[in-house]
Amino acid sequence: MAKKKKGKVVHLKPAYQSAENYIKTQARQLPVIECWISREWQDNGISNIIVARGHKNGNVTAGIYLVDTYCLGVKDAGYEFNLSLDEYTFLKKHAGDIEACEYVLAHNIIYGAIAFAEDCGFKPHKDFAIAQYILEQDDDNVELMELEFGFEGGPYYFRGPYDDDAKVNQIRNTLMRTAGEGNFTIVEDIDDDDFSDDDEPDDYDDDDFSDDDDGLADDQEEMLEELMHTVKPVNKVYEKACRTPEAHTMLKTSSIGRGYRLTEKPVNNQYDLFTDAAEEKLYGELRKFFENAEFEETIVELQKAIVTYPNGARFYNLLQACYFFSGQPEKSNELTVEMIKKFPYYLFALVPYVNLLIDDDKPDEALAVFKGKTDLDQLYPGRKQFNRHEAAIYFATMCRCYVALEDIDKADLYMNAIFKKDLQHVPNQTLVNKALMELCNAKITRIKTRIGWE
């Protein structure tokens, strides 16, 4: 009888697993490759944390945690499964101003905040039920660090821009029960001038225009002044003839521009960093040439600078502006397309590209570029401060998008934000005037339709 041949062992592939099941059962077997945290987490009381684990194929599964160390613990949580390196880089670039940290710090912040919040009566975000498995188990194998939670010894709740009155009351009642009256702080109104609405109009149809033309060229000042003479009466008629109660409520309760501070000073991000002192000095010199309207000379020198510093996003932005202000729209547009490919997350690449799409009568494509993000702190999570120029061009661009989509009320959300923050006076930008003129014309058209004029 012939001997039976020894069969070859065949390892069957496991049945398909969903991302959730994989994370629950196998994520902790992947090595932690890096962790990131908001740079100023200790001062702000809230931070974005990313914990990344690496797959054998080079891909990344990451847990993302929004942590309030002052009161609520893990306010938001999520995961991204099996990202390519490009996708993971995109994730990090949209996480705001972050820096690398040791895993043990990330772990202690997350679980320490959860423990503090639970003492206050708050549970972690529901999606932490899955995202927790990207973290190590919270046991004695992870070094315990001494970190402070709460603020000045007690829970400190800072009302978020999207927290309605019902949520605030719920948090207050919970803290009354767990901490006791007088043992916690709730901040509902922001006192800083950048956030105060006490002296700001609900709409810009009264005496919103200031004679302060600091930083504006004379022709820009004159254009804005002329526009305001038309805008004010148009707004008053539009309010009476066209604005619905629902739209009026939307404008009254808008949180656009309220979740962060605006500053005159530059706010550094990854695109503003210079490789060395020589690059910074060169940019400063070329910026002065630009501000003196020496466009042709600046263009030549900027072209040389880009050869020397091919990743210098600021040089591209300045060159695009030079082409625009020197009356070379084709070159400006060509560089705009080049910039969005090279620096896809750079605001000063996004804004020109979106406006180019609007001018090409592609408003749906234009709005889609922002991927559903409706404010700067959504576009760049984790950032709590923006330069006034950034806010001016972003608000004006969003206003233009909605005008092109014939949604005047949403366009007004952004124009209101411009006037509330006095961004119409920000120098070296022309978008606000352009958006204001288009919005005014759209209102005139809507008024004529409503009252039957042709």
Side-chain angles (χ1 to χ4, degrees), residues 107-309:
H107 185 103
N108 273 267
I109 291 173
I110 292 170
Y111 278 103
I114 288 174
F116 180 81
E118 286 180 342
D119 287 343
C120 297
F122 305 108
K123 296 180 179 180
H125 188 273
K126 60 182 179 61
D127 292 337
F128 186 72
I130 303 298
Q132 66 176 313
Y133 292 100
I134 297 175
L135 304 171
E136 295 294 309
Q137 284 187 323
D138 187 36
D139 56 25
D140 292 340
N141 291 321
V142 180
E143 176 190 353
L144 183 63
M145 301 176 66
E146 291 188 9
L147 299 174
E148 182 180 351
F149 296 94
F151 183 73
E152 295 183 348
Y156 185 96
Y157 167 65
F158 189 94
R159 181 174 185 165
Y162 306 107
D163 295 349
D164 58 21
D165 291 341
K167 181 172 183 178
V168 175
N169 289 333
Q170 180 186 22
I171 290 171
R172 178 183 287 106
N173 291 338
T174 300
L175 291 174
M176 285 288 289
R177 174 173 53 82
T178 58
E181 187 173 2
N183 296 319
F184 62 88
T185 302
I186 291 182
V187 180
E188 294 192 55
D189 297 313
I190 304 168
D191 295 330
D192 190 273
D193 288 342
D194 286 336
F195 290 76
S196 175
D197 289 337
D198 293 343
D199 300 321
E200 292 171 350
D202 295 325
D203 202 351
Y204 44 97
D205 58 359
D206 293 314
D207 295 328
D208 309 323
F209 178 68
S210 168
D211 292 330
D212 179 10
D213 62 350
D214 187 25
L216 283 177
D218 290 341
D219 56 344
Q220 290 177 290
E221 171 69 18
E222 291 173 5
M223 179 181 178
L224 183 57
E225 188 172 6
E226 290 175 4
L227 272 172
M228 292 309 300
H229 287 307
T230 303
V231 165
K232 292 177 185 178
V234 168
N235 280 342
K236 289 180 179 179
V237 174
Y238 184 85
E239 280 291 324
K240 293 180 179 180
C242 303
R243 189 86 77 193
T244 65
E246 293 78 11
H248 187 72
T249 299
M250 178 184 70
L251 289 166
K252 278 276 190 182
T253 59
S254 172
S255 60
I256 299 297
R258 292 182 58 85
Y260 45 86
R261 298 174 184 270
L262 298 183
T263 175
E264 298 286 352
K265 298 178 180 179
V267 180
N268 288 335
N269 57 68
Q270 67 267 29
Y271 295 107
D272 292 326
L273 302 178
F274 296 104
T275 57
D276 52 39
E279 181 184 0
E280 185 174 5
K281 180 181 178 182
L282 177 59
Y283 177 81
E285 293 172 350
L286 296 179
R287 181 78 192 185
K288 289 180 180 178
F289 290 152
F290 169 78
E291 290 171 353
N292 291 330
E294 300 174 14
F295 299 127
E296 295 302 326
E297 298 89 338
T298 310
I299 287 171
V300 173
E301 296 304 319
L302 281 169
Q303 290 170 337
K304 295 178 183 178
I306 286 172
V307 173
T308 305
Y309 301 103

Side-chain angles (χ1 to χ4, degrees), residues 303-354:
Q303 290 170 337
K304 295 178 183 178
I306 286 172
V307 173
T308 305
Y309 301 103
N311 293 319
R314 283 187 167 194
F315 292 115
Y316 282 83
N317 177 43
L318 197 56
L319 180 57
Q320 189 270 339
C322 280
Y323 282 141
F324 179 83
F325 285 109
S326 64
Q328 302 180 64
E330 291 185 2
K331 289 186 176 180
S332 177
N333 293 343
E334 289 174 3
L335 191 60
T336 294
V337 175
E338 183 180 347
M339 285 173 62
I340 197 66
K341 293 178 180 177
K342 192 171 182 66
F343 312 109
Y345 316 115
Y346 182 35
L347 184 65
F348 291 98
L350 284 168
V351 162
Y353 182 68
V354 170

Side-chain angles (χ1 to χ4, degrees), residues 42-56:
Q42 290 176 296
D43 298 325
N44 294 336
I46 194 164
S47 64
N48 282 314
I49 296 177
I50 299 174
V51 175
R53 293 183 180 265
H55 294 262
K56 290 181 179 179

